[in-house]
Amino acid sequence: MTPTTETVVGIGGAAESTDMVLNIGPQHPSTHGVLRLRLVLDGERIQHAEPVIGYMHRGAEKLFEARDYRQIIMLANRHDWLSAFSNELGVVLAVERMLGMEVPARAVWTRTLLAELNRVLNHLMFLGSYPLELGGITPIFHAFTEREELQHVMEEISGGRMHYMFNRVGGLKEDLPAGWATRARACVAALRSRMGVYDDLVLGNEIFRGRTRGVGVLSAEAVHAYGVSGPIARASGVDFDLRRDEPYLAYGELQDALKVVTREEGDCLARFECLLEQTHNSLDLADACLDRLAELPPGPVNQRLPKVLKAPEGHTYAWTENPLGINGYYLVSKGEKTPYRLKLRSASFNNIQALTELLPGTLVADMVAILGSLFFVVGDIDK
């Protein structure tokens, strides 16, 4: 009989507390762009999280210095590809402030209207994609149906579906087409009539609420520490919105229609609720802008500019309440036709840093729920 050798393979007790490093990404499909998360795990629980960014970096801030003030609008509208109109807006506001330029009233109200329609477009994407990340496929089909209707309205005035290039220093590219306001109003009414899909189908779903309530709680202190802004900050009880607190465009005259949505819980569910309720309010603001535009007499929508546009020497900072949070441009001019420096403060860059606070102590299974609830665009992080 052949002798046999028996070997016992076991795991020592010390191995139970051994940390494992797990890299999530970089990949595109599940993270709204190329983002990498470096997680340190103890079993199924996250001990440490580090967002690793820069995979999509285009060097936009450096490219600003080699383009004139008309050309930089094209660069600016691409970092958050869901908020192109709002991105353009911040640049032209900064240049107009440097020039001391007064913009025609018709352009001011049209800009406000289009900024709110762009906000709805942005939010609809996340209202559909966030439930998808938690396993609910139906809302994304509704979201894209409604986005298409609104995209048609935006495309009619600008010719662009994502990068509108409709803002100009001194106003807008051109006036609104004949009958456009009627079609825009009908689109807003249609969207409002179907928003119950998210109120009932998503928020009324017990599985969705179970996956998001009490998960990924972000404190108000962490919001201030990391410079988090937008719906994510307001979901943690930080009551701050530039449209109310430092009005620009026509928001100073829209205070009756403007509602700043806040929650105190600071969890994934609160962030989704803020986004949804803010979408409802943006539709109300769009209606208010359409009403005011109907009352305005015909007039210009831009200022005549010199062939070579030069900003005077100096510096200024223009910030706006973009759909994802505060977007700021710090412009430094040496009196040339190109900016000496144009520094971009994007919303997603600050918001995503809060993952180092949100993820430690949570389960790996909750990571996607937390990550998706930050409603970020990776191009807005990497710039």
Side-chain angles (χ1 to χ4, degrees):
M1 185 173 180
T2 306
T4 58
T5 303
E6 184 175 310
T7 304
V8 179
V9 179
I11 300 176
E16 294 177 4
S17 61
T18 302
D19 292 338
M20 180 178 75
V21 177
L22 178 66
N23 282 287
I24 306 294
Q27 72 237 11
H28 184 274
S30 68
T31 53
H32 294 248
V34 187
L35 175 71
R36 173 182 162 211
L37 289 178
R38 185 179 180 275
L39 307 178
V40 178
L41 306 180
D42 181 5
E44 287 293 310
R45 203 163 289 278
I46 299 171
Q47 298 298 313
H48 177 75
E50 176 191 0
V52 182
I53 66 173
Y55 291 95
M56 293 184 67
H57 180 57
R58 297 181 298 115
E61 291 179 337
K62 197 65 183 174
L63 291 173
F64 285 145
E65 300 170 16
R67 306 291 191 277
D68 68 33
Y69 288 108
R70 293 179 174 92
Q71 295 170 326
I72 60 175
I73 298 172
M74 180 276 296
L75 290 171
N77 71 15
R78 280 161 165 74
H79 58 88
D80 174 2
W81 45 77
L82 296 177
S83 310
F85 187 87
S86 301
N87 300 340
E88 299 172 9
L89 191 58
V91 168
V92 296
L93 289 175
V95 179
E96 287 162 4
R97 186 175 297 174
M98 288 285 285
L99 294 168
M101 182 179 288
E102 190 80 19
V103 177
R106 190 168 185 80
V108 171
W109 280 96
T110 304
R111 280 177 172 179
T112 310
L113 167 63
L114 296 177
E116 290 305 315
L117 293 179
N118 192 197
R119 194 182 308 275
V120 174
L121 270 174
N122 175 290
H123 290 356
L124 280 172
M125 175 63 78
F126 292 108
L127 292 174
S129 68
Y130 186 51
L132 179 66
E133 290 162 359
L134 299 180
I137 193 172
T138 306
I140 194 74
F141 294 114
H142 290 279
F144 268 86
T145 300
E146 283 128 29
R147 273 176 54 84
E148 276 302 305
E149 290 191 22
L150 193 48
Q151 286 282 28
H152 290 323
V153 169
M154 297 292 282
E155 189 176 0
E156 183 182 352
I157 60 163
S158 66
R161 286 181 58 81
M162 290 185 71
H163 308 301
Y164 305 109
M165 283 298 296
F166 198 60
N167 276 292
R168 294 291 186 272
V169 176
L172 297 168
K173 175 186 173 186
E174 56 198 7
D175 205 350
L176 301 173
W180 180 87
T182 302
R183 291 187 287 277
R185 194 183 293 276
C187 178
V188 169
L191 289 181
R192 184 182 286 109
S193 71
R194 294 198 291 267
M195 288 302 291
V197 167
Y198 310 99
D199 292 313
D200 303 329
L201 183 66
V202 181
L203 283 181
N205 186 292
E206 61 184 46
I207 298 174
F208 178 84
R209 299 184 76 87
R211 289 291 306 276
T212 55
R213 186 192 285 115
V215 174
V217 176
L218 182 65
S219 67
E221 293 75 22
V223 166
H224 293 301
Y226 285 90
V228 174
S229 59
I232 301 169
R234 292 191 283 274
S236 296
V238 178
D239 189 6
F240 181 71
D241 190 314
L242 284 174
R243 297 174 297 170
R244 179 198 64 195
D245 301 324
E246 195 173 310
Y248 57 98
L249 294 181
Y251 289 114
E253 300 179 50
L254 288 170
Q255 297 302 304
D256 290 340
L258 176 63
K259 178 183 177 184
V260 179
V261 183
T262 61
R263 292 289 187 277
E264 296 297 326
E265 295 82 1
D267 57 9
C268 295
L269 180 60
R271 291 190 278 274
F272 186 86
E273 287 177 342
C274 279
L275 199 75
L276 176 56
E277 199 169 334
Q278 188 167 288
T279 307
H280 283 283
N281 185 236
S282 288
L283 293 172
D284 294 338
L285 289 169
D287 270 338
C289 290
L290 285 165
D291 290 341
R292 183 57 192 273
L293 278 170
E295 298 170 359
L296 290 176
V301 293
N302 50 39
Q303 296 277 24
R304 289 185 62 86
L305 299 176
K307 190 172 183 180
V308 178
L309 180 63
K310 294 183 178 181
E313 189 169 345
H315 60 92
T316 191
Y317 182 68
W319 57 347
T320 55
E321 188 68 43
N322 267 32
L324 299 181
I326 292 174
N327 190 79
Y329 292 99
Y330 178 60
L331 171 63
V332 181
S333 172
K334 294 290 187 181
E336 303 295 332
K337 66 178 182 179
T338 61
Y340 177 75
R341 184 78 171 92
L342 187 58
K343 177 72 176 73
L344 167 60
R345 187 265 190 228
S346 61
S348 298
F349 180 84
N350 286 72
N351 292 355
I352 204 68
Q353 309 308 318
L355 284 171
T356 58
E357 289 275 341
L358 280 174
L359 290 177
T362 64
L363 295 170
V364 176
D366 289 328
M367 183 205 65
V368 172
I370 296 170
L371 184 65
S373 74
L374 292 187
F375 311 128
F376 62 91
V377 171
V378 180
D380 202 41
I381 301 170
D382 290 343
K383 300 178 270 187

